[in-house]
Amino acid sequence: MLALVFVNVVINYMDRSNISVAGTALSKDFHLTSVQLGLVFSAFGWTYALLQIPGGWLADRFGPRPVYSCSLFGWSAATFFQGFVNGFSGLLFLRLLIGAFEAPAYPTNNRIATAWFPDNERASAIALYTSGQFVGLAFLTPLLVTAQHFFGWRGLFIATGLVGILWSFCWHLFYRDPAKHPAVNEAELTYIEEGGGLPQRRQKQSTEAPKKLTWATARQAFTSKKLWGIYIGQFTINSTLWFFLTWFPTYLVKYRGLQFLTSGFLASLPFIAAFCGLLLSGFASDYLLKKNVSAGIARKTPIVLGLLLSTTIVAADYVSGSFWIIFFLSLAFFGNGLASITWVLVSALAPKHLIGFTGGVFNFIGGLASVIVPIIIGYLASSGNFKPALFFIGVLAFVGACCYIFMVGEIKRIDGEDVATDFVLQNQPALNNEA
C-alpha cells in the first residue's frame, strides 16, 4: 500500500512541476513576462489551496480508493491537454484544473498513513511516501529536460499526462483500506490499532452513522494554538519547496547563465539532497520515539533543524561558480527535506474524527505558498536581480522554525476538552477583566 502511495506522489509532483522545466520555452513561445510566468507558476496553487478543506472532507467521507482514483485521472488528463494549449489563458486554465484535482491527494495520503501504520512507524512511512516528491524529481528532471529537448514542451506534457491516466486505473485495482484488504488478518488490525493507528474497523462494523461535519466539530481544527503552529510552519516549508518546483530551473538558466541541458542535470542534485534529508528525518524520528524519547523532541527536532538549514539558501546570492551555487541550494533543500515529516504531526495532533479535515486545513494554509510565493518571486526578480527573492525564502524558513519552537508545544492529540482549555488559557486576562 505504501508503494502505491509513493508512486502517486511521484506522479503528483511530476505533473505539478513539469511546468518549471517547460517554463523557459513557454515564456519564449508565448512571449510571457516574468510576472506572467509567475502567474502561470502560481495558478496551480490557487485551486489547490482553495479546495484543500473540501478535499480533506472527501477523504473522510468517501475513503482513499475512490477519491484518489478520480483525483489521479483528473489531474493527469488536465496535464495531457496542456500539450495542446495555444496561449497564456488556456495554460492558466489547465493549471487551475490540475490544482483542483490534486487538492485531495495529501489529505488522503495522511489518512492512508494513519489507517495503515501505528504511531512509532508513521514518520518513517510518511518520509518514504513523501520522498517520492524529491526522488521522482531528482531522477525524472534530467529525463524531462531531455524529453523536452527532443520532443518539445508539448510532447513533455502529453507524455507525463498519459503516465498518470494509466496509473489511476492501477491504483483503483490494487488499493484497499486495512479492514477491507483480504491479506490483512485480525492480528495486524489489532497491532495497528493498539499502536495508535486508525484502521477504521470499528466504524465498519458499527451501525452508528459517521459523525456529520458541523461547525461544532470542525472548529477544533481552527482553535488550537499548536495546530496553528504547524499550519504556519507548513506555509514556510512549502515556500522553499515551491521555489524549487517553479523558479529554480529559470533561476539557473536565466539569472545564472547555465545551459539548458546542463541546468537539468544540476537541478537534480538539490532534489537528491532533499530526498536524503527526508529519509534521515523520518527514520531518525521513529528511532528516537522507540527509544522512549519524548514525542516533542523526536518529532520537532528534525523539523526545526531543517528549517534553520533552509535559511542557507541566502548564501547562494553571494557566491559565484556553479559548484557553490548548487552546494548552498542543495544544503537548503536538504534542510527542507529534514523538515518535511510535518504530516506526522497532523496524524498525532488532529482529532480522530477530523484526520482528513485537519489535513485539509493544514495543506490549505501550506498550499497558499504555491499561490503567493511564485508571484512574489516574479515581482522581486522583475528588475533582473534575484537576491531579494532568495532572501525572502530564507526569512520565511526562519519564521517557520520559530513557529515550531514557540507555538506547537506538547505533542498530544487534540479533543474537545483540549481545545476548550487552550481557548480559556489564551483568553484568561480578558476573562478576568470581564469578571
Side-chain angles (χ1 to χ4, degrees):
M1 297 302 104
L2 188 61
L4 293 175
V5 178
F6 175 87
V7 176
N8 289 355
V9 172
V10 170
I11 294 173
N12 182 298
Y13 271 79
M14 179 177 68
D15 288 345
R16 72 170 71 180
S17 66
N18 52 17
I19 191 72
S20 68
V21 174
T24 302
L26 281 170
S27 181
K28 182 179 178 181
D29 287 354
F30 294 155
H31 307 290
L32 304 180
T33 66
S34 65
V35 174
Q36 286 178 310
L37 188 59
L39 288 170
V40 170
F41 284 160
S42 74
F44 165 92
W46 304 351
T47 48
Y48 182 77
L50 185 65
L51 296 176
Q52 279 302 302
I53 295 175
W57 175 81
L58 286 173
D60 284 336
R61 178 66 180 83
F62 297 104
R65 186 171 177 240
V67 170
Y68 232 139
S69 299
C70 296
S71 179
L72 260 166
F73 184 88
W75 90 60
S76 300
T79 299
F80 174 84
F81 285 111
Q82 280 182 131
F84 301 93
V85 296
N86 292 311
F88 172 75
S89 58
L91 184 62
L92 197 70
F93 171 75
L94 287 171
R95 292 298 295 174
L96 291 168
L97 204 58
I98 293 170
F101 278 108
E102 285 200 14
Y106 262 76
T108 306
N109 290 344
N110 190 58
R111 186 150 195 87
I112 293 167
T114 307
W116 274 97
F117 295 93
D119 289 342
N120 62 6
E121 296 179 12
R122 199 171 300 138
S124 301
I126 289 174
L128 282 168
Y129 79 65
T130 305
S131 71
Q133 70 191 44
F134 298 127
V135 71
L137 293 171
F139 295 106
L140 288 177
T141 296
L143 181 62
L144 296 178
V145 169
T146 304
Q148 178 173 309
H149 179 73
F150 288 104
F151 305 109
W153 59 266
R154 294 185 186 275
L156 172 67
F157 288 136
I158 290 169
T160 52
L162 284 174
V163 169
I165 289 171
L166 293 174
W167 180 253
S168 67
F169 294 103
C170 295
W171 167 264
H172 191 77
L173 181 64
F174 292 111
Y175 180 79
R176 297 292 186 277
D177 288 329
K180 297 179 181 179
H181 199 292
V184 175
N185 58 27
E186 181 66 22
E188 185 168 2
L189 289 173
T190 301
Y191 172 75
I192 294 171
E193 200 165 50
E194 290 181 351
L198 301 174
Q200 295 184 291
R201 60 175 174 171
R202 288 199 181 104
Q203 182 176 339
K204 179 187 175 185
Q205 295 171 352
S206 175
T207 58
E208 182 182 351
K211 184 180 289 187
K212 292 183 178 180
L213 184 65
T214 64
W215 173 244
T217 56
R219 68 182 289 274
Q220 297 174 28
F222 296 100
T223 52
S224 169
K225 178 182 176 182
K226 61 179 63 182
L227 287 180
W228 275 103
I230 67 171
Y231 295 161
I232 299 170
Q234 188 67 3
F235 177 89
T236 66
I237 292 169
N238 280 355
S239 297
T240 301
L241 175 64
W242 275 94
F243 162 73
F244 283 95
L245 292 181
T246 55
W247 281 101
F248 178 46
T250 302
Y251 167 72
L252 294 181
V253 173
K254 185 174 180 179
Y255 294 91
R256 286 300 197 170
L258 299 180
Q259 296 298 315
F260 185 72
L261 279 176
T262 302
S263 73
F265 287 97
L266 288 177
S268 68
L269 297 179
F271 289 100
I272 293 172
F275 166 71
C276 294
L278 180 55
L279 290 186
L280 173 63
S281 179
F283 285 103
S285 180
D286 277 350
Y287 174 80
L288 291 173
L289 202 63
K290 290 174 182 178
K291 292 295 182 180
N292 296 320
V293 175
S294 71
I297 293 175
R299 299 313 195 197
K300 291 195 296 182
T301 299
I303 296 171
V304 172
L305 288 177
L307 282 162
L308 292 175
L309 270 179
S310 293
T311 64
T312 61
I313 196 171
V314 176
D317 279 340
Y318 301 99
V319 294
S320 58
S322 58
F323 172 83
W324 287 110
I325 295 168
I326 295 298
F327 171 80
F328 282 111
L329 291 172
S330 297
L331 182 62
F333 215 22
F334 173 81
N336 189 261
L338 275 178
S340 293
I341 61 165
T342 46
W343 276 97
V344 76
L345 295 181
V346 178
S347 296
L349 297 175
K352 290 183 178 181
H353 61 288
L354 292 174
I355 297 290
F357 183 82
T358 305
V361 177
F362 174 80
N363 220 28
F364 163 70
I365 295 173
L368 291 176
S370 65
V371 179
I372 297 169
V373 170
I375 294 175
I376 291 179
I377 290 176
Y379 278 101
L380 291 176
S382 60
S383 65
N385 181 10
F386 219 86
K387 288 185 178 181
L390 292 190
F391 183 78
F392 168 68
I393 299 298
V395 169
L396 287 177
F398 181 76
V399 170
C402 292
C403 286
Y404 276 94
I405 293 170
F406 299 111
M407 293 181 68
V408 175
E410 182 185 6
I411 305 302
K412 180 183 177 183
R413 189 175 302 281
I414 304 296
D415 57 31
E417 183 179 351
D418 292 334
V419 174
T421 303
D422 197 16
F423 178 81
V424 169
L425 289 175
Q426 292 176 49
N427 294 277
Q428 190 67 52
L431 294 173
N432 287 340
N433 289 338
E434 287 180 11

